[in-house]
Amino acid sequence: MLTNMYDRLSQKREAAEALARKQAEQEREAAEALSEMPVPVPVLRLDAEQNAFCIAGLNMQVPLGFSFRDIETTLAFATCEVTFSARRRIAPEGLDLPKAVELYVKNLRDRHAQMTLIRQSECLLAGHPALALDYLFPAGQEQRHARTVCTIIAHDDGQPRQWLEVSTQIDPNQARLADWLIAFDAMLAGMTA
């Protein structure tokens, strides 16, 4: 049976709306699938002889041929002092990250007999698999909370593997430092080559 012109227009409009809803649903599902895919993290290459510091907005390039081993500095965050340090060493062949971190924790316990390991978690440092340690230890009459992120960086050009650790220490009783560890993690996540 033939329907009138208005019914046919209505059917076409309803069909177009149903098609538009179906396409929108497919696009939404595709967008959700893309958002669930992990974003690849760039793996940064460690170049031991390329060193620079940015201090209060001033860039200082270290001459070629010099490579850092230890950096330790005191930073001011929310008018409180925090320490920041970075260490680099050659990592022996055959030493994997879990064993290296186990040795690191043993050395911590040797230096701080009352050290308490709070948490150990997997993470990335400059795109390389890393382990993050949170621990407490006494410093004189005060307590310190430290976070250390450790990784072993292997080179594909025959250079020796490198142990890299980045640490911070704070007074956990300073309420103004409540956001420092978040800022520290963001600082490490923002590392560039």
Side-chain angles (χ1 to χ4, degrees), residues 4-5 9 16 23 39 45 62-63 74 80 112 126 147-148 157 161-162 168 170-171 187:
N4 69 33
M5 176 177 74
L9 289 174
Q23 288 173 338
V39 176
R45 185 178 180 276
V62 176
T74 302
C80 297
H112 306 288
R147 176 168 294 163
T148 301
D157 60 1
R161 297 172 347 129
Q162 301 288 311
T168 188
I170 63 171
D171 178 351
M187 182 173 68

Side-chain angles (χ1 to χ4, degrees), residues 85 104 108 119 121 123 131-135 146-150 163-169 184 188:
S85 63
Y104 180 82
L108 278 176
R119 179 174 65 113
S121 59
C123 62
L131 288 173
L133 305 169
D134 280 277
Y135 50 96
R147 176 168 294 163
T148 301
V149 181
C150 313
W163 164 265
L164 178 64
E165 74 185 57
V166 183
S167 300
T168 188
Q169 294 178 14
F184 176 74
L188 296 186

Side-chain angles (χ1 to χ4, degrees), residues 10-179:
S10 180
Q11 286 175 343
K12 284 183 179 181
R13 181 181 45 79
E14 288 171 359
E17 289 173 352
L19 180 62
R21 279 193 302 273
K22 183 177 179 183
Q23 288 173 338
E25 179 65 21
Q26 289 172 341
E27 289 173 6
R28 185 190 61 76
E29 288 172 357
E32 282 180 3
L34 282 176
S35 69
E36 291 174 2
M37 293 177 61
V39 176
V41 176
V43 177
L44 305 180
R45 185 178 180 276
L46 188 139
D47 186 346
E49 293 191 0
Q50 289 288 331
N51 293 286
F53 303 97
C54 183
I55 303 167
L58 302 173
N59 293 315
M60 179 175 65
Q61 187 75 35
V62 176
L64 283 177
F66 290 87
S67 60
F68 95 91
R69 288 182 51 84
D70 297 283
I71 297 171
E72 186 164 334
T73 188
T74 302
L75 305 172
F77 182 81
T79 70
C80 297
E81 289 186 357
V82 300
T83 62
F84 171 83
S85 63
R87 289 178 18 131
R88 182 194 59 81
R89 300 285 188 269
I90 292 176
E93 287 299 323
L95 180 66
D96 64 2
L97 184 59
K99 181 64 176 172
V101 169
E102 182 182 313
L103 294 170
Y104 180 82
V105 170
K106 181 188 177 308
N107 288 336
L108 278 176
R109 290 190 193 285
D110 290 346
R111 282 184 298 183
H112 306 288
Q114 298 174 349
M115 189 270 294
T116 303
L117 184 61
I118 300 170
R119 179 174 65 113
Q120 179 174 322
S121 59
E122 294 179 359
C123 62
L124 292 176
L125 180 59
H128 299 273
L131 288 173
L133 305 169
D134 280 277
Y135 50 96
L136 294 170
F137 65 95
Q141 299 298 318
E142 297 179 352
Q143 188 80 339
R144 289 288 177 259
H145 181 128
R147 176 168 294 163
T148 301
V149 181
C150 313
T151 189
I152 294 178
I153 299 175
H155 294 281
D156 52 2
D157 60 1
Q159 296 290 324
R161 297 172 347 129
Q162 301 288 311
W163 164 265
L164 178 64
E165 74 185 57
V166 183
S167 300
T168 188
Q169 294 178 14
I170 63 171
D171 178 351
N173 297 315
Q174 290 284 342
R176 291 175 292 180
L177 293 177
D179 294 333

